[in-house]
Amino acid sequence: MRFSISPEMATQEVQPNETLSNLKAESDTLKTKLEDERAKLHDVELHQVAEKVDGLGQFIMKTRRTLKGHGNKVLCMDWCKDKRRIVSSSQDGKVIVWDAFTTNKEHAVTMPCTWVMACAYAPSGCAVACGGLDNKCSVYPLSLDKNENLAAKKKSVAMHTNYLSACSFTNSDMQILTSSGDGTCALWDVESGQLLQSFHGHAADVLCLDLAPSETGNTFISGGCDKKANVWDMRSGQCIQSFETHESDINSVRYYPSGDAFASGSDDATCRLYDLRADREVAIYSKESIIFGASSVDFSLSGRLLFGGYNDYTINVWDVLKGTRVSILFGHENRVSALRVSPDGTAFCSGSWDHTLRVWA
Amino acid sequence: MTISTLTRGGAQREQQHCLRKMERVIIAMQDPDIGLKMRNQRLLITVIPHAMTGNDIMEWLIQKYNITDEEAGHLGGLLVQYGYIYPLKEPRSLILRSDDSPYRFQTPYFWTSSRWPASELDYAIYLAKKNIRKQGELVDYEKQNYNLLHKRINHTWDFVVMQAREQIRASKQRRKADRIVLECQEQAYWLVNKPCPGAFDVFDLGPERCNVLNSRVILNSSLLFFLLRISSVPNNSLSSHFLLSLSCVCSFMKFCDQYHQHDPIMSGCLPSNPWISDDTTHWTINTDLVGTPTRLRVERWSFSFMELLNDCLGRREFMTYLEKEFSGENLCFWEACEDLRHGESSKIILKVEEVYKTFLSPGAARWVNIDSKTMERTLEGIKQPHRFVMDDAQMHIYFLMKKDSYPRYLKSDLYKNMLSKAIVPQETKKSVFPFMRRQRHSSPSPAMVSQATEDNGKAKGAGPAATNSGTLS
């Protein structure tokens, strides 16, 4: 039986004689106890069982498109459901919508702030959301009238007290989920800008989030500077699972296609796979020669491959089951800041501080 | 009261981890047993001790980490960029050459991690030294920096010049080789810490992270979280709640295997991958409401109920099937609930009323069969309508369809016919002239398609359809 915590309980005043260090000690003890319980279930490693799986043959992926047009570091990108359009945002405040297939730019917006760290395409393909150092998330409907200034129709939706690190539409154009440097995530109604639910629990900046592809569609994951990856119930605002095995900031989290697990990429130069049903980390993807942090991760359609964009300008491709690195892709001339596989899995796109985006297939 | 439970704030945090790791590599490279073989290098007429060639560095990296030339070159290049190794010839060019160009390890005193941020005073002294030693030694950006500093810390300029002169005098008393080494080290340090504008800057980092929050609040909620988890299961054991690792692990293998053929990156796609061949046929034959779907697509509907519902064509087929069985209202109800859950807040009350009228009220036109307990709870909830008021009922109907109608659909003639009619496109033979590039056609923007259908009075969000190729007018 589970009982719910109310947000008020978390902020209650504790007994005056309970010092901060006592609280921390108690928290640590419980954490160890939890880890011990989890360890009891640990009977086998993923890569051991995957020994009988066929290895992957020669792996060749090349840059098929290079999108040039940003005047500064590309910070974020997202695919449109039509499998070929992309929205990207950069340090100089520009948000560009491209038809990546033809490499044509279709729309451009200049945000009133720099460091636009988050951008997302609406499921209908008719709008984009973006935000960054302005602490807000704004939605721009995409107009096809060349004379119309997109900025005029801008709708301010989310308001945080620190930078916006990530945003994502839920199943429709009407709701947006955001994460922020203020340590919280929040769910917003786009039309009214109303806050529908807020999610507290991270001890520091939240850097990334991803929505679950599950049938009941009610959970999402977030990763932050407190090295934790949390699983949240969207309806109640509660944190239902938490994982803390990384040694540094978690820059990116992404669900495994079945929704039963998720991968994370961190500044500790590793990517890890966490199983939600077993409630533990089941794989680490790392190599001694990989020194720089992973900024962005995504799975191929079948979940067999994990693509990681790193701060050393490379993209490492991992065999999710066997835990080995399949390939390393060179091409970018500065750190890779964003990486997403296209909706139909035919390619993936990487955005980099070298001002370009590349589509690989 | 706020106590920082995290280490230093600011941009430095981001760098700490990779700098530490690079230092470990550097230390390993200098290990007397497993490290590089260093030797004396001749630089003009002086002999510099403890130097190695670019080639040595590459070889060592390749051997130690079992990586390719390209990767070793890349990694070595980063070690040079971050100032842990510096070139003796052409010191301003911070790249790793895989030939016999000489390199040296930077002394830990000058490591990026130990002396950041660089102080203005130190930089001024360094520039002054260079200027005094040899006129015209400073390059453009260094001259600019020098002038800027001269203005900014003018009040201590006498001290700067005095220090510079002292250091020059002290170094003259050293052996020539030592003097050259020290000069190289110092120069390398400043090239990394005060790079030429436009060149790579190791301190070019993102916005500041790690704003410390109220630890007490966080610890309280952490405590509650742990207490909850441990006490919410009988016998304080978590095993009954969470599956054993083996079954979880096997499910990953099963999933990857099932979707292997459907993963274009793993198995290719038919007739060809548009990004590789510039041919969009793969997309046109897979549009949302195409006349005849592909075989792979129809097969995918049998993987899970979610797959069927997520595909508009699949969902439409399923609706046809349900209507034949006179249970179409189930799917309609489910869709209406989804619309409620994900729609605008302002329309909630209206939608709840609609759903009640159409599906739940006694004698409703499309009455759905929910168990009495759920119905009771739902009707009670409707009195105070909110976004999730239909959740229980929706879940009930969803599982009803999943457990009952869906398996029967997969066995039905309707599905079987769909499967047999489905097309398997021919794989495009590689072009005889591989360099001939096809013309890349644009597709109508989803925003335009949606506007057009809206104008026609149809429902929005019909989905982008890249049917005709042609440029946007």
Side-chain angles (χ1 to χ4, degrees), chain B residues 304-470:
Chain B
S304 73
F305 188 38
M306 270 298 275
E307 286 285 359
L308 179 67
L309 288 185
N310 280 344
D311 183 339
C312 3
L313 195 62
R315 196 192 287 200
R316 197 179 66 179
E317 285 294 301
F318 187 57
M319 180 67 94
T320 313
Y321 174 74
L322 288 178
E323 268 161 13
K324 281 206 178 138
E325 301 219 316
F326 305 107
S327 56
E329 67 277 357
N330 286 342
L331 188 55
C332 291
F333 175 69
W334 183 84
E335 283 181 333
C337 292
E338 281 289 285
D339 188 43
L340 166 67
R341 269 201 323 154
H342 298 292
E344 302 96 314
S345 292
S346 58
K347 299 206 176 131
I348 289 178
I349 297 182
L350 194 71
K351 286 182 181 172
V352 170
E353 254 184 61
E354 276 294 316
V355 169
Y356 173 73
K357 262 196 349 226
T358 320
F359 300 100
L360 300 174
S361 65
R366 311 206 71 185
W367 192 78
V368 285
N369 193 359
I370 313 176
D371 69 284
S372 53
K373 247 175 107 182
T374 312
M375 180 66 96
E376 214 180 285
R377 252 205 315 270
T378 309
L379 292 178
E380 189 59 40
I382 288 179
K383 295 186 185 153
Q384 311 236 302
H386 60 90
R387 190 177 289 274
F388 303 109
V389 76
M390 296 292 173
D391 271 12
D392 286 343
Q394 183 185 4
M395 190 100 73
H396 180 95
I397 293 294
Y398 178 83
F399 283 111
L400 188 70
M401 289 192 289
K402 177 177 172 178
K403 293 275 146 68
D404 183 37
S405 318
Y406 173 61
R408 282 190 290 111
Y409 166 68
L410 292 179
K411 298 198 192 101
S412 70
D413 287 335
L414 197 65
Y415 179 70
K416 294 207 176 113
N417 286 339
M418 203 66 181
L419 202 56
S420 60
K421 267 186 351 192
I423 54 174
V424 180
Q426 282 272 40
E427 183 178 0
T428 311
K429 292 265 185 301
K430 289 241 156 49
S431 166
V432 178
F433 302 100
F435 298 111
M436 235 169 74
R437 219 233 265 167
R438 278 174 202 261
Q439 208 203 351
R440 295 169 181 169
H441 294 288
S442 351
S443 71
S445 163
M448 183 172 94
V449 170
S450 200
Q451 250 167 41
T453 51
E454 225 180 32
D455 295 339
N456 289 342
K458 292 203 186 118
K460 195 174 178 185
T467 42
N468 307 313
S469 45

Side-chain angles (χ1 to χ4, degrees), chain B residues 190-261:
Chain B
W190 289 110
L191 281 170
V192 169
N193 279 269
K194 294 278 182 215
C196 174
F200 177 75
D201 183 359
V202 305
F203 301 109
D204 185 13
L205 300 166
E208 287 233 354
R209 285 183 185 178
C210 250
N211 311 282
V212 179
L213 300 176
N214 189 330
S215 309
R216 189 176 284 268
V217 169
I218 302 306
L219 280 175
N220 271 352
S221 49
S222 290
L223 258 180
L224 281 164
F225 173 72
F226 289 132
L227 280 168
L228 192 65
R229 291 291 301 286
I230 286 184
S231 62
S232 69
V233 261
N235 304 323
N236 271 1
S237 158
L238 293 168
S239 40
S240 49
H241 261 240
F242 299 111
L243 300 185
L244 285 174
S245 294
L246 185 61
S247 60
C248 298
V249 153
C250 285
S251 73
F252 296 135
M253 284 166 49
K254 199 168 143 233
F255 186 92
C256 288
D257 190 42
Q258 188 179 42
Y259 282 83
H260 191 270
Q261 288 299 114

